């Protein structure tokens, strides 16, 4: 069951938090195959004549099967849903699992939003949220200071996203006792690039070294 907080907008009255009733507002989540940024799309359908203000606090978007990536949703998401309305909303986050594929449109009913107030969340998931937030803050601080020299330095957003993602993967995988390595980073880069001439591979290897140095600096 998808767990969200809902606020029924009643003019002049306090806005009460309540568990989303799927009979009133149904939801579906579809992955985008991205590991950072817009990682999934949440579609909500309002079956009532009420207007709802729906809020998702920082939490985790979990793979039900465990065969797809889990995502940290570091931002507070807020949505307004009018009477009888269906709307799609982007969920932004960071992948927490480096060694499984991201969820895509073909993975039906694979992802669910966890309730951060549920028993066990604080011990199992909260450290990962804190670690990812720290990675984001550290990358942005060091980037602003000009501390990085990477192949993506002329593209600050790509550099930021790459370093946040890999620093998060290093952090999570180290906690699990199976830390990712520079070889994992190189494999991913080669997969994304495809076949290249040998002379270009040497320059690419230098870039991978620079990226890994930046990840180590951040971590």
């Amino acid at each position: 069951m998808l767990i969200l907080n809902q606020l029924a907008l009643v003019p002049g009255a306090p806005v009460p938090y309540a568990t989303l009733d799927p009979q009133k507002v149904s939801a579906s989540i579809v992955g985008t195959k991205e590991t950072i940024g817009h990682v999934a799309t949440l579609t909500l359908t309002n079956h009532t004549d009420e207007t709802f203000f729906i809020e998702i606090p920082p939490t985790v978007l979990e793979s039900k099967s465990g065969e797809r990536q889990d995502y940290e949703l570091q931002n507070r998401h807020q949505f307004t849903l009018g009477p009888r309305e269906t709307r799609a909303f982007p969920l932004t986050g960071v992948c927490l699992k480096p060694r499984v594929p991201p969820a895509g449109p073909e993975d039906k009913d694979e992802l669910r939003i966890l309730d951060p107030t549920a028993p066990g969340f604080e011990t199992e998931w909260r450290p990962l949220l804190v670690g990812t937030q720290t990675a984001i803050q550290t990358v942005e601080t060091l980037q602003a200071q000009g501390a990085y020299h990477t192949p993506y330095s002329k593209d600050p957003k790509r550099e930021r996203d790459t370093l946040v993602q890999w620093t998060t993967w290093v952090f999570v995988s180290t906690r699990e006792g199976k830390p990712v390595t520079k070889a994992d980073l190189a494999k991913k880069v080669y997969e994304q690039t495809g076949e290249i001439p040998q002379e270009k591979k040497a320059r690419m290897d230098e870039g991978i070294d620079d990226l890994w140095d930046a990840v180590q600096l951040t971590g």
Side-chain angles (χ1 to χ4, degrees):
M1 174 182 177
L2 179 65
I3 301 176
L4 298 173
N5 288 328
Q6 79 172 5
L7 306 176
L9 295 181
V10 181
V15 183
Y17 284 90
T19 300
L20 185 66
D21 182 351
Q23 298 301 315
K24 292 185 176 182
V25 180
S26 58
S28 66
I29 304 173
V30 176
T32 63
K33 288 197 172 180
E34 297 294 331
T35 64
I36 189 169
H38 177 192
V39 296
T41 298
L42 170 66
T43 300
L44 298 173
T45 299
N46 186 353
H47 302 287
T48 76
D49 294 322
E50 303 174 68
T51 295
F52 294 98
F53 178 75
I54 301 169
E55 178 181 81
I56 306 174
T59 186
V60 169
L61 184 62
E62 183 187 43
S63 164
K64 295 180 183 179
S65 69
E67 297 178 356
R68 293 293 181 266
Q69 293 175 356
D70 299 323
Y71 305 89
E72 185 253 11
L73 304 181
Q74 71 271 21
N75 298 322
R76 187 174 298 274
H77 294 73
Q78 296 178 328
F79 316 112
T80 300
L81 193 64
R84 306 293 171 180
E85 184 177 33
T86 296
R87 292 182 65 187
F89 305 96
L91 298 176
T92 57
V94 179
C95 168
L96 297 172
K97 286 185 176 181
R99 295 186 174 97
V100 294
E106 69 278 9
D107 300 305
K108 303 299 183 183
D109 196 33
E110 173 62 29
L111 301 173
R112 61 184 171 194
I113 296 172
L114 298 185
D115 179 1
T117 67
F121 187 92
E122 286 296 314
T123 56
E124 182 176 359
W125 296 105
R126 186 66 64 189
L128 304 187
L129 299 188
V130 173
T132 305
Q133 287 284 9
T134 302
I136 292 170
Q137 293 166 6
T138 304
V139 167
E140 292 177 349
T141 297
L142 291 176
Q143 191 178 49
Q145 294 173 351
Y148 296 130
H149 174 68
T150 78
Y152 306 143
S153 291
K154 292 184 179 180
D155 186 345
K157 182 182 184 303
R158 186 177 183 183
E159 181 180 67
R160 180 251 186 214
D161 287 352
T162 300
L163 295 180
V164 166
Q165 183 61 89
W166 278 93
T167 303
T168 298
W169 279 344
V170 169
F171 164 66
V172 174
S173 62
T174 299
R175 290 185 83 249
E176 294 174 346
K178 299 178 180 178
V180 297
T181 65
K182 183 167 68 174
D184 294 308
L185 172 61
K187 180 181 178 182
K188 184 71 69 173
V189 171
Y190 295 149
E191 288 175 352
Q192 293 172 344
T193 305
E195 285 193 39
I196 58 171
Q198 189 61 36
E199 62 272 17
K200 288 188 176 181
K201 182 178 182 299
R203 291 199 298 271
M204 182 178 292
D205 288 342
E206 291 180 6
I208 291 170
D209 289 341
D210 290 337
L211 274 174
W212 188 252
D213 287 345
V215 170
Q216 295 293 95
L217 173 63
T218 308

